[in-house]
Every structure is written in C-alpha cells, then in structure tokens.
Amino acid sequence: MNKLTYQNSVLRIVTDKINISNYYYFLITIIVLFLLLINTPYKTSYEYVLIKDDSYKLIVDDTFFPIKNKYLYFNHKKYAYSVVEISDNYIANDKKYYNVIIDININDFKSNKNIFTVEVIKDKSTLLKYFLNKMKGK
C-alpha cells in the first residue's frame, strides 16, 4: 500500500501556490487562435466546363449568377473574360444550366481537346463575415 506523504497528500494540493499566470497565457493563446481562425480568408470557387468551338462557351448553373468576378482560372493561371451572350436556360439532370458565350484570350488552350475544366472564384470572405451575414439574415 502507498504511504501517505506530503508529495501525494491533499494538504499539499491545497497549500501549494498555484501559478495563475500560466492559465492566463493559455487563455490568451486560445483567444488569439480563435480570432485568427474566424478572420482567416477563404474563397468559394466552382468548376465549370468550357467548350472551345468558333467561340468559347461556358456551361454554368444557377450558382454562377450574379456575375461579380470577371476572371476564371485554368492551370492555376488567371484570365479575364467578358460575357458576350447568355442563352436561355435548359434542364439536364433536374438542374438548370445556361450556355454563356464569353470573349477570352487564352493562349494555353493549344491542345487537341475542345473541352476544358475551368474554375471561377465566386466569393472571397472570412468566417466572421459569414457569421455576421447569417445573423443579419442575408
């Protein structure tokens, strides 16, 4: 059986001074990490199909609209584009799709393929802005 000594007794735990500053350092560290987490920027991006014929036709769904950003990304490169024409919607797989004809100057599309997957960044935000917008009801 273990002998009760000063090192493992309840009296030692009660009478020893607890260093409160360590707890404050821990609390401050947790608060700083939380603030960094909610202010970390993130971006919402979507992948779409780009078909190269006589013109460039981007096949998009409802998430593409409204058009805020006039850039798309292909092979991690940023390209500016302008919308020439938006077709009427059509339904495929129970989802609305649109054909958006765009004017873009891409020299990297020199390949045998005519169908490319491109990425459009829809929104850049932080978690704090997201939570504030949810509280406002937007």
Side-chain angles (χ1 to χ4, degrees):
M1 208 151 121
N2 290 340
K3 259 185 163 176
L4 191 61
T5 62
Y6 179 72
Q7 278 75 22
N8 61 4
S9 71
V10 176
L11 180 63
R12 176 178 181 254
I13 295 171
V14 171
T15 58
D16 281 350
K17 289 185 178 180
I18 298 174
N19 193 358
I20 293 290
S21 65
N22 290 340
Y23 294 106
Y24 287 130
Y25 292 139
F26 179 72
L27 182 65
I28 289 171
T29 304
I30 294 297
I31 290 171
V32 166
L33 287 175
F34 178 73
L35 290 174
L36 286 175
L37 176 70
I38 65 172
N39 286 318
T40 302
Y42 71 94
K43 52 188 168 185
T44 307
S45 63
Y46 298 99
E47 287 188 354
Y48 297 113
V49 175
L50 181 67
I51 299 174
K52 180 182 173 184
D53 286 335
D54 298 334
S55 61
Y56 291 100
K57 180 171 57 172
L58 194 62
I59 300 174
V60 300
D61 54 1
D62 287 332
T63 57
F64 184 73
F65 302 106
I67 303 169
K68 294 180 185 175
N69 192 347
K70 298 281 186 160
Y71 298 100
L72 59 84
Y73 295 85
F74 177 71
N75 287 339
H76 306 291
K77 292 182 184 174
K78 184 177 178 180
Y79 297 99
Y81 70 93
S82 61
V83 175
V84 176
E85 180 184 343
I86 299 174
S87 72
D88 290 336
N89 62 351
Y90 59 92
I91 297 176
N93 297 331
D94 295 329
K95 203 170 184 184
K96 286 184 182 179
Y97 289 99
Y98 301 88
N99 292 334
V100 178
I101 297 175
I102 60 174
D103 184 27
I104 190 167
N105 185 14
I106 300 179
N107 297 329
D108 295 343
F109 284 180
K110 295 177 181 173
S111 69
N112 296 337
K113 295 191 315 181
N114 288 337
I115 300 175
F116 304 96
T117 302
V118 295
E119 182 180 20
V120 175
I121 294 177
K122 187 67 174 167
D123 191 18
K124 291 182 181 179
S125 185
T126 63
L127 284 175
L128 181 62
K129 287 182 186 177
Y130 175 76
F131 291 136
L132 291 176
N133 286 339
K134 284 292 184 183
M135 284 192 277
K136 289 179 185 176
K138 290 184 179 179

